[in-house]
Amino acid sequence: MSDRNDEYIVVKAKAQGVQVIGLTRGQDTKFHHTEKLDKGEVLICQFTEHTSAIKIRGKATVVTKHGTVDTDVE
């Protein structure tokens, strides 16, 4: 059985100012953490008992156990 705390994603910024935003679990989804990445920086994010979703703004590559995706920001 997989524990939700073992889920990670990797975000690599392809431009300046990429924002990675953690969203809470529960009845009301709220922002609880924000990071800003410079071009080339990498952030490893973990889903936890408090983090149910991660939102990414800006040009980035996201790597998960399900595959790799690039954002479509021009």
Side-chain angles (χ1 to χ4, degrees):
M1 181 168 126
S2 178
D3 181 53
R4 72 176 92 156
N5 293 338
D6 67 359
E7 294 287 330
Y8 291 87
I9 68 167
V10 176
V11 179
K12 181 175 182 181
K14 295 168 73 176
Q16 290 294 108
V18 171
Q19 289 184 328
V20 181
I21 304 162
L23 301 162
T24 61
R25 290 188 184 280
Q27 290 181 336
D28 298 323
T29 301
K30 299 177 184 174
F31 297 129
H32 75 81
H33 187 81
T34 302
E35 292 288 334
K36 191 171 245 185
L37 303 178
D38 292 331
K39 185 175 182 178
E41 286 188 322
V42 173
L43 180 67
I44 301 170
C45 306
Q46 180 181 27
F47 289 96
T48 67
E49 62 189 54
H50 301 291
T51 303
S52 64
I54 298 171
K55 181 176 183 174
I56 299 163
R57 287 186 181 149
K59 196 167 181 103
T61 298
V62 182
V63 180
T64 75
K65 71 178 185 179
H66 304 287
T68 301
V69 65
D70 290 316
T71 59
D72 289 335
V73 176
E74 294 297 321

